[in-house]
Amino acid sequence: MPAVKKAAVLVVLAVLASPAAAVAGEARNLLLVTVDTLRPDRLGCYGPGKARTPAIDALAARGVLFENAMAHTPSTLPSHANLLLGLTPPVHGVRENSKAKVPEVFLTLAEHLKARRYATAAFIGAFPLDSRFGLGQGFDVYDDRFPMKPSAMGFAPERTADAVVAAAVSWLGAQTGPWFCWVHLWDPHAPYAPPEPFRTEYAADPYSGEVAFVDAELAVLFEALRKSGQTDRTLTVLTADHGESLGEHGERTHGYFAYGSTLHVPLVIAGPGVRPRRVGTVVGHVDVFPTVCGLLGVPAPPGLQGRTLEPLMSGGRDKPRVLYFESLEPQLNYGCAPLRGFVEGLTKYIDSPLPEVYDLDQDPREAVNLAAKADIPALKERLEAILKGQAGAAAAPPAVADDRTREKLRSLGYIVSPVARTRSAYGAEDDLKSFLPFQQRLERAILGADAGRHEDAVRELEALVREKPHFSPAYIYLAQIHMAGDRMDQALRTMDDGVRANPEDFALLAEYGKALVRGGRPREAEETLERAVALIDFDPDSWAALARARLAAGDAPRAQEAFDKALALDPTSAPIHAEIAGLRMGLYLEGGENASDLEQAIAHFEKAAALDASLSSVYGGLGYAYRLAGRTEDAMRAWERAIALSPGDDFSTYQLGLVCLERGDKARARKLFTAILEARGGELTPPERDRLTALIEKCK
């Protein structure tokens, strides 16, 4: 939807809206629950479920259960964009998790309902739906307060279902008018680690344990609605963004192939006026937006690709239709062939260099490929017509992921590189089925490194780069393992080999440049990073790394220029604010103590602390800046915060001890100095040890 059209729709709806626009007997409220990575076959309402799901089963018992609901993409961000925009990726342009942002020109479900005077809130479970990716449009509250600092390998920056539900229940309890609440629960996503008692009960199937845990927390949410008397006024929609392969077709999780294991999702709709029913017709995520509009008595906006499911919910029939799907993560991150297709009736066509055709009625698990007997040219022509029909709207411009984004997605199981590499033609060797063994080997190596099997991982990755010299993620992860093992020379050689084999690969250039900064070779780093930003100039982390290289080379003015570009691209980056603060502190201390430099250092440190309150180094630097500015009380509070976050922060402990000694609090000062001596005594140089000992003597 073009920007002018979206603005016009919002204005018209605002004029037509009434304060509590529910027709008698209709729902006033909308609760949308999306459970990440949820397979229908784990739910009792879909058959003999492998998890105990009484809350979801009870919801299905009083509503309509769609037996053949389909996601259009097997990745989190694109799938939620499909749901909340009522459009497919060829239209809205969000194709994968790391390089796309929902364009503001498109009308979201939240904006549509907000214009009807609904209060709107979203409670998000994990990083792929962070507000930076654009789904916060139209929400009064977009609560994405999951941990923001990098997680340990193998662990996700996520909020568990109990925390998300608690936040949602708190907000719901304060609402007096009609509301739209979206609750996103992440827990079934890998790694599968349910809490007790589910961990023990489902020890042999922890994925199902995560599903059972989510159901238990949904019971809390549904009970809160019942107690507040809102169940009978609330339309509830429950679905998943995608499923999980769990090894089917050789895929460990999701985001690679587009078989039913990852595209088949649960869909349950319940609420006032909805009679229990099971619907076997194939439906899609894009149908949710127009359906809830109809059930809420709200006109659907023009331009949606889906159909209202109200006739099916009433026992009627749907007209024949086609549902499009795609999986472009591998193309955009590995350079594989694109994978697109459609389901029409009970025929599924997967377009790739090695095409696939399945009869979903006779072969729901997609085990027998009928491509040899099918009219592939006709199916390909049909797909091209579908894509041509969706090409009217502008797609989203690419937006590269920064380092923090890639690390968080990496910890969630997504293997991403910073920029798409597409080609005009692909062969059988580029088909995802052909590439799968290399993908599996890369995953095994990464998982092995996470588990501490570094030598095995190194051997596997070294073999991969020999066999696939253009497979840049293998170079990058191999170098990271070397750096983690303090083998910087080997890491740099690995990256150099990768860049020589792939001289125009932005991912390799950017990572090599950052490694060169760490390796103490700032001039080479600057040259390499300048090559990277010449290819892609919208990656904030590459600009920040270039700034660090220039600073290390003694060029502070040009370092500030690069930092300014990084901050313009990502103004919410706490690390970038902290690095700018450090630069300004250096200029203040070495350049004549210009008051403006100190003021800017304090402002950037404060901004970094506000953006990420978990960074102890920020509070340490802020305390020192406050101290230089004569704000002693503020300095002490900042250092105390730094020590609370990181008890081993010797800098903050030492500085706080000095201030305590100056103020006459010798007992506290002695305790602080002694703590450093006891913890670090064997690591201190003789002068450092003598200085601490002398200070302790002064405290007697």
Side-chain angles (χ1 to χ4, degrees):
M1 181 181 295
V4 174
K5 190 173 183 180
K6 170 179 171 176
V9 169
L10 289 173
V11 169
V12 170
L13 291 177
V15 171
L16 296 177
S18 57
V23 178
E26 290 184 345
R28 297 180 66 206
N29 311 315
L30 171 62
L31 173 64
L32 172 63
V33 177
T34 59
V35 183
D36 219 285
T37 325
L38 177 60
R39 290 174 60 118
D41 64 6
R42 265 27 184 202
L43 305 177
C45 53
Y46 276 85
K50 297 184 179 181
R52 285 184 295 103
T53 55
I56 296 175
D57 296 346
L59 181 74
R62 64 181 181 87
V64 175
L65 180 149
F66 292 87
E67 296 174 336
N68 292 299
M70 191 181 98
H72 307 281
T73 42
S75 299
T76 298
L77 179 63
S79 217
H80 281 92
N82 302 336
L83 274 166
L84 294 173
L85 300 178
L87 304 170
T88 55
V91 176
H92 58 63
V94 181
R95 320 305 285 261
E96 47 86 82
N97 279 328
S98 65
K99 294 181 282 295
K101 180 177 180 179
V102 175
E104 293 186 6
V105 297
F106 294 110
L107 182 73
T108 68
L109 177 58
E111 288 176 305
H112 188 57
L113 294 180
K114 184 177 174 64
R116 307 285 301 189
R117 302 188 186 179
Y118 276 68
T120 56
F123 299 90
I124 304 303
F127 182 76
L129 299 181
D130 184 88
S131 58
R132 74 180 63 188
F133 298 120
L135 282 176
Q137 298 175 41
F139 284 104
D140 302 321
V141 173
Y142 197 85
D143 184 348
D144 53 0
R145 293 175 293 174
F146 35 81
M148 289 304 294
K149 71 178 182 179
S151 304
M153 285 187 180
F155 291 89
E158 64 170 300
R159 281 195 296 184
T160 52
D162 52 340
V164 177
V165 166
V169 167
S170 177
W171 182 82
L172 288 169
Q175 304 312 305
T176 56
W179 49 259
F180 166 36
C181 181
W182 168 29
V183 176
H184 166 251
L185 303 178
W186 177 259
D187 300 79
H189 198 287
Y192 316 125
E196 294 292 2
F198 306 99
R199 182 187 300 269
T200 298
E201 183 179 351
Y202 294 91
D205 184 7
Y207 170 79
S208 292
E210 295 256 41
V211 174
F213 167 58
V214 163
D215 185 84
E217 293 306 320
L218 284 176
V220 175
L221 176 62
F222 297 157
E223 177 63 11
L225 287 179
R226 187 192 67 79
K227 284 184 175 179
S228 64
Q230 298 191 77
T231 299
D232 292 339
R233 292 178 293 156
T234 299
L235 177 69
T236 299
V237 178
L238 182 143
T239 188
D241 55 347
H242 51 73
E244 187 82 325
S245 277
L246 299 176
E248 293 182 20
H249 298 278
E251 184 177 12
R252 185 172 62 88
T253 56
H254 60 272
Y256 192 76
F257 288 131
Y259 298 113
S261 54
T262 57
L263 291 187
H264 183 205
V265 293
L267 177 60
V268 174
I269 301 176
V274 177
R275 294 184 178 182
R277 187 180 302 276
R278 298 178 76 92
V279 174
T281 305
V282 178
V283 300
H285 269 160
V286 293
D287 299 327
V288 171
F289 194 151
T291 301
V292 299
C293 287
L295 294 172
L296 291 172
V298 172
L304 300 181
Q305 289 179 274
R307 300 178 180 178
T308 179
L309 302 177
E310 292 172 278
L312 293 174
M313 295 173 68
S314 301
R317 293 182 175 272
D318 196 8
K319 297 178 182 177
R321 66 183 305 194
V322 62
L323 286 172
Y324 170 83
F325 63 83
E326 68 177 37
S327 177
L328 299 188
E329 291 266 3
Q331 181 198 23
L332 299 176
N333 290 309
Y334 300 143
C336 298
L339 190 156
R340 299 181 178 90
F342 62 86
V343 173
E344 189 166 21
L346 290 171
T347 297
K348 180 174 182 178
Y349 170 60
I350 300 176
D351 183 65
S352 62
L354 301 173
E356 299 170 71
V357 179
Y358 296 100
D359 180 341
L360 298 180
D361 182 37
Q362 299 297 318
D363 182 22
R365 298 183 70 85
E366 297 157 273
V368 181
N369 184 3
L370 304 176
K373 301 177 182 179
D375 187 349
I376 297 300
L379 291 168
K380 187 179 287 288
E381 185 177 339
R382 177 74 168 121
L383 176 61
E384 290 173 356
I386 293 167
L387 289 168
K388 185 176 180 180
Q390 298 181 357
V400 79
D402 61 18
D403 256 12
R404 292 177 300 134
T405 301
R406 289 193 292 276
E407 173 57 27
K408 292 179 189 302
L409 293 169
R410 150 81 172 82
S411 71
L412 301 175
Y414 298 104
I415 303 171
V416 300
S417 61
V419 66
R421 300 181 311 255
T422 60
R423 305 196 302 273
S424 59
Y426 297 89
E429 70 279 5
D430 303 311
D431 188 284
L432 296 193
K433 298 180 287 298
S434 302
F435 199 84
L436 181 62
F438 300 100
Q439 157 78 3
Q440 292 171 328
R441 288 168 62 186
L442 179 66
E443 287 184 347
R444 280 199 303 270
I446 294 170
L447 291 171
D450 288 347
R453 300 189 297 274
H454 298 108
E455 291 183 6
D456 292 342
V458 166
R459 281 194 293 271
E460 185 72 272
L461 291 170
E462 286 178 341
L464 268 179
V465 298
R466 284 195 301 270
E467 297 171 44
K468 285 282 185 181
H470 302 300
F471 192 16
S472 63
Y475 293 100
I476 293 169
Y477 287 115
L478 177 56
Q480 288 178 351
I481 294 171
H482 284 317
M483 284 189 281
D486 293 324
R487 300 184 296 274
M488 181 57 73
D489 288 345
Q490 287 177 265
L492 293 176
R493 282 197 296 271
T494 296
M495 296 300 293
D496 189 62
D497 289 342
V499 168
R500 288 178 186 277
N502 304 274
E504 299 298 313
D505 190 300
F506 170 80
L508 282 167
L509 285 168
E511 296 302 322
Y512 187 29
K514 294 163 197 170
L516 286 166
V517 175
R518 289 182 57 182
R521 293 157 58 178
R523 293 297 184 189
E524 294 172 72
E526 182 177 9
E527 179 185 353
T528 303
L529 288 162
E530 285 176 346
R531 288 171 60 191
V533 298
L535 289 170
I536 296 295
D537 65 356
F538 44 81
D539 176 15
D541 194 71
S542 293
W543 283 106
L546 179 57
R548 288 194 292 273
R550 289 174 174 174
L551 192 59
D555 192 344
R558 294 185 71 227
Q560 183 65 64
E561 291 175 6
F563 273 135
D564 289 343
K565 289 186 177 180
L567 196 61
L569 290 164
D570 187 3
T572 64
S573 169
I576 293 175
H577 279 287
E579 289 190 275
I580 294 174
L583 169 61
R584 286 294 167 181
M585 282 285 287
L587 292 173
Y588 174 78
L589 294 170
E590 299 170 10
E593 298 188 354
N594 186 315
S596 174
D597 286 327
L598 184 58
E599 290 170 3
Q600 289 190 52
I602 290 173
H604 283 289
F605 272 134
E606 289 177 337
K607 183 65 174 178
L611 288 165
D612 189 344
S614 69
L615 298 176
S616 62
S617 60
V618 168
Y619 287 99
L622 180 59
Y624 193 59
Y626 281 151
R627 176 69 165 148
L628 292 172
R631 298 168 58 178
T632 304
E633 295 291 339
D634 290 336
M636 293 180 71
R637 281 191 289 270
W639 285 324
E640 286 165 351
R641 175 64 176 162
I643 295 166
L645 288 168
S646 179
D649 183 347
D650 294 339
F651 173 81
S652 296
T653 303
Y654 182 78
Q655 295 297 328
L656 184 58
L658 290 177
V659 172
C660 289
L661 182 58
E662 290 175 10
R663 294 165 69 101
D665 190 349
K666 293 185 176 181
R668 189 180 184 193
R670 179 185 176 89
K671 183 178 180 181
L672 290 164
F673 294 139
T674 302
I676 299 173
L677 191 60
E678 290 176 349
R680 297 281 307 283
E683 304 169 29
L684 298 174
T685 65
E688 290 172 337
R689 190 177 191 68
D690 292 344
R691 190 179 308 116
L692 269 177
T693 302
L695 287 169
I696 291 171
E697 285 297 316
K698 284 187 178 182
C699 296
K700 290 183 178 178

